[in-house]
Amino acid sequence: MQDRDNYDDVSKVRRFDHPGKGKGRARSVPKGRQVDPHAKTAIEALLADDPRERHLLIEYLHRIQDAYGQISAPHLAALADEMRLSYAEVYETATFYAHFDVTKEGEADVAPITVRVCDSLTCCMWGAEPLMAALKRELHDGARVVRAPCVGLCDQAPAVEVGHNFVVHATVASVKHTLSHHDTHPHIPDYIDFDTYRAAGGYATLERVRSGALSTEEVLKVLDDGALRGLGGAGFPTGRKWRSVRGEPAPRLMAVNGDEGEPGTFKDQFFLNSDPHRFLEGTLIGAHVVEAADVYLYIRDEYPIAREILATEIAKLPPGGPCLHLRRGAGAYICGEESSLIESIEGKRGLPRQRPPLPFQVGIFGRPTLINNVETLYWVRDLIEKGAAWWKSHGRNGRFGLRSYSVSGRVRNPGVKIAPAGLNIQQLIDEYCGGMSEGHTFAAYLPGGASGGILPASMNDIPLDFGTLEQYGCFIGSAAVIVLSDKDDVKQAALNLMRFFEDESCGQCTPCRSGTQKARMLMERPMWDTALLGELSQCMRDASICGLGQAAPNPVTTVIRYFPELFRVPTDRAEK
């Protein structure tokens, strides 16, 4: 217990003994971390007249990071003081996200330019590891080289992010060229802007909905009849979700999940960078149906082009309707999970919430919240205008609708393939990707990104759609298809994915936090202990809080199940 005589209860100033001088009173030093006046002035200038509200914390951390290339302890303290938050709250949020470079007192400054080398599965298949090693050897002053999870450019692997610009099919020479020309800002491609979209009939459907010419019930009916499902991974029926939110008491909110972090997925980026108003019209229709006055568009930090396009085009929308708030992710895959996304929008660490309640009941700021994926909203306008019969006219192998498959790996023509739902992997490769890459033979594939499992080429006739892969221990998810060839190591592919899950675990629950680490360590051994990995996988599925830990074992268990030849003990060793 502390000696109360060493404190002055009125001033709260510590009293202590001066060594060698007998007892005395020290200089008055206020308790707590002190705010540097220069840092305070800088933060006040960065925030200007914007509100000092808790939910804007991550946005303000981005301002500091963008302005200074790092976030120092004095800036954190000044931001905490300005927003009337504890230093601990600000620090824990800043250090949770990978894209905030938080420096401690006395630490050296971060290099002015960060070079992020994507080490996702597809980029590693195309040489990311030797590229990273070479860049670390050859880049010195002014740049640091770090690993990065999937940046959404799998069809142009390997990808490197230099500042906020991207180098695709990257080489040491092309990265050096980018640095030498100080080319660190995103390049905005041609896209369908407001005037072009409007001239082609855009927003006419939204106007019909707002005027009452097309009733809310008619909109919901076409979504139900067309059986449009959430295309971000979960596949929940869209019409049912909108009805559920409408059934909750007002005020209601809406959020768009644009945190497309699943390795191998890049379809949402494709839509945002090419036809943003089709997505925005679907968003505004959804907001009208659930009567949401505010919509939060959460876009991952790795998509600076999409954010800039949206900021430009949102400003062109005519007045009226809900307020659209752009929110910027900060490098956390877990924020693609709905409740984690809500926490991040509120300016907090992206820790998944316990359920129930569900987000449609208690979402952002405790209000009922509609959450949809970018691609789901992209199709809303077409479905309403062309009807459920049009949507259902597409499909293969007994399935219906359209899907946007993000295809990467060992195919001749990778990219986003808008194709009938339910086609199988062989049809996707042959009809939409121009076949396999020269010199490569089809060996295996991931039907649903990192968490969707790995199947052998012999299982090439399974329809790629919701509900068709679960019996094989896989799922379609966001339709991120990665194709492996006879020149790829399936066990190393699974290990790459487990390292990703280990890095991206939020750490909140032990089964995921420790399970991904233990699985990675077991998988790094020359011979896998398949029985132990099986027990560990079951524990993670049963006890993890959210989908990350529950789905992380899928690549492991499917490799063990469908590639038994990789685990057979050689005859001479078995005899011994």
Side-chain angles (χ1 to χ4, degrees):
M1 185 174 179
Q2 292 177 326
D3 182 2
R4 293 181 59 85
D5 292 339
N6 284 341
Y7 292 88
D8 185 312
D9 291 335
V10 177
S11 66
K12 305 295 184 185
V13 175
R14 180 69 186 267
R15 301 162 61 98
F16 61 90
D17 296 340
H18 290 281
K21 295 184 179 180
K23 290 187 176 182
R25 190 176 184 87
R27 289 184 303 169
S28 296
V29 180
K31 277 187 169 183
R33 187 178 297 273
Q34 301 307 295
V35 177
D36 179 272
H38 297 291
K40 182 175 178 61
T41 300
I43 295 301
E44 288 174 345
L46 281 177
L47 272 55
D49 295 328
D50 290 336
R52 272 58 167 167
E53 295 178 6
R54 175 69 172 82
H55 65 94
L56 294 171
L57 175 58
I58 294 173
E59 296 299 304
Y60 295 158
L61 288 169
H62 273 301
R63 291 191 191 182
I64 301 173
Q65 178 74 38
D66 290 344
Y68 297 97
Q70 62 186 22
I71 304 176
S72 67
H75 283 142
L76 278 181
L79 181 62
D81 180 72
E82 190 68 20
M83 298 188 71
R84 298 296 185 264
L85 298 172
S86 70
Y87 183 86
E89 284 182 278
V90 177
Y91 181 82
E92 72 177 9
T93 300
T95 54
F96 180 85
Y97 296 93
H99 290 185
F100 294 141
D101 297 309
V102 180
T103 59
K104 298 178 181 178
E105 293 181 17
E107 283 187 342
D109 288 344
V110 174
I113 300 296
T114 297
V115 176
R116 290 187 169 89
V117 182
C118 179
D119 69 348
S120 70
L121 176 56
T122 307
C123 281
C124 282
M125 289 165 62
W126 291 105
E129 290 289 348
L131 173 63
M132 188 184 310
L135 289 172
K136 285 185 175 181
R137 285 195 308 269
E138 300 193 28
L139 300 184
H140 303 291
D141 297 337
R144 62 167 181 159
V145 179
V146 299
R147 293 178 178 272
C150 185
V151 296
L153 293 168
C154 316
D155 56 333
Q156 302 172 78
V160 174
E161 185 178 6
V162 180
H164 289 298
N165 188 19
F166 292 93
V167 182
V168 297
H169 302 301
T171 63
V172 174
S174 62
V175 173
K176 282 186 170 181
H177 179 271
T178 301
L179 283 167
S180 66
H181 287 75
H182 305 287
D183 194 7
T184 58
H185 297 288
H187 296 172
I188 307 302
D190 292 333
Y191 64 90
I192 301 172
D193 63 8
F194 177 79
D195 291 336
T196 305
Y197 183 77
R198 187 76 168 136
Y203 290 111
T205 299
L206 174 63
E207 290 172 357
R208 291 176 61 211
V209 172
R210 285 181 173 173
S211 69
L214 189 63
S215 71
T216 295
E217 190 53 43
E218 288 176 298
V219 171
L220 291 170
K221 187 177 186 305
V222 75
L223 294 179
D224 290 338
D225 291 347
L228 179 66
R229 301 178 68 167
L231 300 174
F236 193 84
T238 304
R240 192 192 308 174
K241 178 180 283 190
W242 289 19
R243 289 181 188 275
S244 297
V245 176
R246 276 180 58 84
E248 295 296 314
R252 294 179 283 270
L253 300 174
M254 181 177 179
V256 175
N257 189 343
D259 195 62
E260 186 180 47
E262 181 78 9
T265 311
F266 45 92
K267 61 184 178 60
D268 291 349
Q269 180 176 219
F270 170 78
F271 292 126
L272 292 172
N273 289 3
S274 59
D275 196 359
H277 285 282
R278 193 173 300 267
F279 151 71
L280 286 172
E281 185 168 7
T283 300
L284 293 171
I285 291 171
H288 179 87
V289 168
V290 301
E291 299 174 357
D294 291 275
V295 179
Y296 294 85
L297 310 178
Y298 189 95
I299 309 298
R300 69 186 305 221
D301 197 31
E302 292 85 349
Y303 288 179
I305 294 172
R307 289 199 316 275
E308 186 166 333
I309 289 174
L310 285 173
T312 300
E313 297 304 312
I314 288 172
K316 298 177 183 178
L317 294 176
C323 182
L324 302 181
H325 307 270
L326 266 178
R327 287 291 182 268
R328 179 178 172 185
Y333 167 72
I334 191 64
C335 290
E337 193 273 337
E338 283 188 340
S339 63
S340 301
L341 177 133
I342 292 170
E343 291 287 296
S344 192
I345 288 173
E346 293 179 353
K348 307 171 187 173
R349 294 176 295 168
L351 299 178
R353 295 177 177 179
Q354 294 281 4
R355 303 185 187 196
L358 296 171
F360 82 88
Q361 300 166 313
V362 180
I364 302 170
F365 310 134
R367 298 177 182 176
T369 303
L370 171 65
I371 303 178
N372 277 134
N373 164 262
V374 169
E375 186 191 357
T376 308
L377 296 166
Y378 178 87
W379 289 116
V380 166
R381 174 197 159 185
D382 283 348
L383 186 53
I384 294 173
E385 290 182 354
K386 299 177 182 179
W390 164 79
W391 181 257
K392 287 190 170 183
S393 69
H394 301 281
R396 296 273 187 93
N397 303 314
R399 317 302 294 181
F400 59 83
L402 291 168
R403 288 300 302 263
S404 302
Y405 298 92
S406 304
V407 186
S408 65
R410 307 298 190 182
V411 293
R412 192 181 303 273
N413 301 313
V416 174
K417 311 298 178 181
I418 299 176
L423 82 175
N424 60 46
I425 184 63
Q426 199 65 59
Q427 293 168 330
L428 185 61
I429 293 172
D430 295 343
E431 299 177 29
Y432 290 86
C433 301
M436 296 291 292
S437 297
E438 188 71 28
H440 290 266
T441 301
F442 182 32
Y445 66 105
L446 283 70
S451 53
I454 304 177
L455 294 173
S458 59
M459 299 174 67
N460 64 350
D461 59 349
I462 305 171
L464 298 177
D465 198 15
F466 295 115
T468 60
L469 293 154
E470 284 77 0
Q471 62 181 306
Y472 305 106
C474 301
F475 56 78
I476 187 68
S478 58
V481 179
I482 303 177
V483 179
L484 282 65
S485 77
D486 56 331
K487 293 179 171 56
D488 297 309
D489 187 326
V490 175
K491 288 176 66 177
Q492 285 300 310
L495 176 57
N496 175 284
L497 301 176
M498 188 56 68
R499 285 173 176 157
F500 167 79
F501 289 125
E502 180 187 3
D503 288 342
E504 294 298 329
S505 172
C506 74
Q508 182 178 193
C509 69
T510 302
C512 177
R513 180 185 65 250
S514 297
T516 52
Q517 180 191 53
K518 298 301 181 185
R520 185 261 304 163
M521 293 169 66
L522 289 169
M523 295 166 71
E524 287 177 338
R525 296 178 181 177
M527 291 296 294
W528 288 8
D529 187 334
T530 55
L532 185 56
L533 279 168
E535 291 180 21
L536 180 60
S537 297
Q538 193 60 51
C539 175
M540 292 170 66
R541 287 198 185 94
D542 292 343
S544 295
I545 290 175
C546 79
L548 190 155
Q550 295 163 12
N554 288 346
V556 183
T557 55
T558 51
V559 167
I560 292 172
R561 179 178 178 183
Y562 297 115
F563 299 86
E565 68 278 4
L566 300 177
F567 305 100
R568 294 194 184 110
V569 180
T571 305
D572 57 339
R573 290 179 60 186
E575 291 174 351
K576 294 179 182 179

